[in-house]
Structures are given as structure tokens and as C-alpha cells.
Amino acid sequence: GHSVPLLVSNALQQGSVTNAFTFNAPVASSVLLSNGPSTGGSNVTIFGQSFATVDATAKARFGSTSCEVTLWVSDSSAVCRLPAGSGHSASVSVSVADQDSLSAAQFSFNSPVVRNVSRYDPPTTGSASVTLTGMNFGTVDRSLHARVSLTACEATQWVSDSSTVCKFPNGIGAELLQATLSVSGLQGSLSSAFSFQPPIVFAAMPDNIPSTGSVSVTILGSHFGMNEYPSSSFFGNSLCASNMARWHRLLKQMFAKSTSHQ
């Protein structure tokens, strides 16, 4: 404790002084486990000194969050039942008789683990909701951030410690993309999680051209991408002299073409 009074008695006379001295502050120097699950509940032993020679109602904290239960063991150790949380390098502190500890110990919650995704072939237009499942996403919403390869999801919605929803960004390509989830500075990822749907060709306008070529042909379809990307078109085995990827399906033109043959 601190601010301890001093009382001296001599020949039935007494003298005293308040706030004469303080005991050394407790020091938390290390923990037996340096990391644990985001759901909490694990018992973690804290080592140090000046925790008191008797149970003086020690209280331990990880960062700013108090342990669910703190059990005094000895002057040099106490046991904390880990609270739920997320993040890394949280300072570990122990207070004894209202005297806060000096802390050299740190603790990190386990990084998120992404194990599965609800769909593997999102559309090139983006905005599709994809559920990521795993563990250590946090027991409360801690502003998660998900991304696909290097592109952030349009929105990330926390659901539970094992589930979150990514509103998929737009893109193209058959390349297998990595899903990454960030929680309080910790990251977890799943390799080869996605690839965008391949382009689909519905029709070409006009549908007949002279053998001399040099005619512009509009290709109708889907999954060509929301932006202009480098692309190639072939008629049979012949590569088009020039190619411009269109980002929409040109439905009005398709409808006009279909009605002209009726």
C-alpha cells in the first residue's frame, strides 16, 4: 500500500506521522502465456514482485480491460482469467491495495484466422456479399477491415467472433486472390480464396462481316469488367486488330437485335 502512517509509543506516550512511507509498488515483469484467444476465458499467470505476502485483493488488467477474475498466489505471482479482447502488445498491470504496478509485461490476443469463404467466384461488378468464417474476429465489433488481395472491400460488417461479411469490390481475372482480415492491428488471411467470374459472350453485332476485315464489331456479354482493362478478342483463331473492353452488357442493343429478327 501507499501513504502508510508511522506510530511510535514510549512510556505510555505516543507520537505519529501520517504518510510516513509507502511500500514498493508492485511490478508485473512477465506472463506465462504471451497470447490467448479473443474470446478470453483462459487463465494466465502473471509474475513479478511486491504483490503482497498475504491476499491484498490484487486486481490485474490487460491494457485497459480488467481480468474477469484475479487470484493472488504469492508475493511474486497472480493468476488472471483473461477477458475478451483483441489487439497486440497490451501492457499487463497488477494493482495491490490501490497501488498500481509498474509494467514490463505485454500480452497479445491471437490473430484472426480466416478458414473459409461463402463463395469463390464473385461477379466482376462487385457489391456481392461474401461471408468470411474463422476465429478470433472479436467478441464485439472492433472496426474490422477486410480486403481482397490489395483492394479493400466496399464495406466490412462484423457478425461474430467467427464470422464477418465483405461487400466485394469490383475486378477481373482468373488469378486466385487472397482474402485478408484486419482486427485491431492483427491480420489473418486465406490464400487462393477467390477468382472473378470469367467473361461470357452472348452475341456480336453485326453478326456478319466482309472477309477484308477492318470492321468494328460490338461484343455483347457479361463479366467484362467495370473499367477498361487490357483484353484480347478472337474471331476463330484470328486476333482482332484492336479491342476495347466494354463494361456493361448493352441490353438495349441486344433487345433491338432480337426484335429485328421477329
Side-chain angles (χ1 to χ4, degrees):
H2 55 86
S3 302
V4 179
L6 176 65
L7 176 65
V8 177
S9 178
N10 183 21
L12 302 180
Q13 290 182 310
Q14 293 183 341
S16 64
V17 59
T18 59
N19 303 328
F21 64 93
T22 61
F23 289 102
N24 291 337
V27 177
S29 56
S30 64
V31 290
L32 184 61
L33 295 175
S34 59
N35 61 286
S38 61
T39 51
S42 301
N43 290 330
V44 179
T45 301
I46 305 169
F47 297 105
Q49 61 188 35
S50 302
F51 292 174
T53 56
V54 295
D55 188 355
T57 317
K59 297 178 181 179
R61 295 192 308 273
F62 283 67
S64 59
T65 305
S66 297
C67 294
E68 295 177 2
V69 177
T70 303
L71 175 64
W72 173 87
V73 178
S74 69
D75 187 62
S76 59
S77 67
V79 176
C80 159
R81 181 175 296 168
L82 188 68
S86 62
H88 60 92
S89 302
S91 61
V92 178
S93 60
V94 178
S95 64
V96 178
D98 296 325
Q99 192 173 20
D100 291 332
S101 70
L102 303 174
S103 179
Q106 291 187 330
F107 182 88
S108 295
F109 289 94
N110 291 339
S111 297
V113 177
V114 182
R115 290 179 171 167
N116 203 0
V117 293
S118 60
R119 65 180 300 178
Y120 299 91
D121 59 342
T124 57
T125 53
S127 298
S129 293
V130 177
T131 300
L132 282 63
T133 54
M135 60 189 299
N136 297 322
F137 295 177
T139 56
V140 296
D141 188 355
R142 298 183 184 276
S143 301
L144 285 73
H145 299 283
R147 68 177 190 268
V148 178
S149 190
L150 299 178
T151 304
C153 293
E154 295 178 6
T156 304
Q157 180 182 2
W158 174 88
V159 178
S160 69
D161 185 66
S162 59
S163 178
T164 191
V165 177
C166 160
K167 191 173 183 181
F168 219 81
N170 67 73
I172 62 168
E175 176 186 0
L176 293 174
L177 303 173
Q178 177 174 278
T180 301
L181 183 66
S182 298
V183 182
S184 301
L186 298 172
Q187 291 188 350
S189 61
L190 177 65
S191 300
S192 304
F194 310 99
S195 64
F196 288 100
Q197 294 179 5
I200 298 174
V201 176
F202 297 148
M205 298 176 61
D207 55 8
N208 63 301
I209 58 174
S211 60
T212 55
S214 298
V215 175
S216 294
V217 176
T218 298
I219 301 172
L220 309 177
S222 63
H223 307 312
F224 294 169
M226 294 292 290
N227 301 291
E228 185 174 347
Y229 297 93
S231 58
S232 299
S233 299
F234 292 82
F235 279 76
N237 294 323
S238 299
L239 177 67
C240 290
S242 62
N243 185 81
M244 182 176 68
R246 299 297 296 274
W247 63 273
H248 62 289
R249 300 172 65 174
L250 302 175
L251 292 177
K252 291 184 178 179
Q253 293 186 33
M254 291 179 62
F255 179 77
K257 183 176 186 296
S258 64
T259 55
S260 67
H261 290 285
Q262 294 179 355

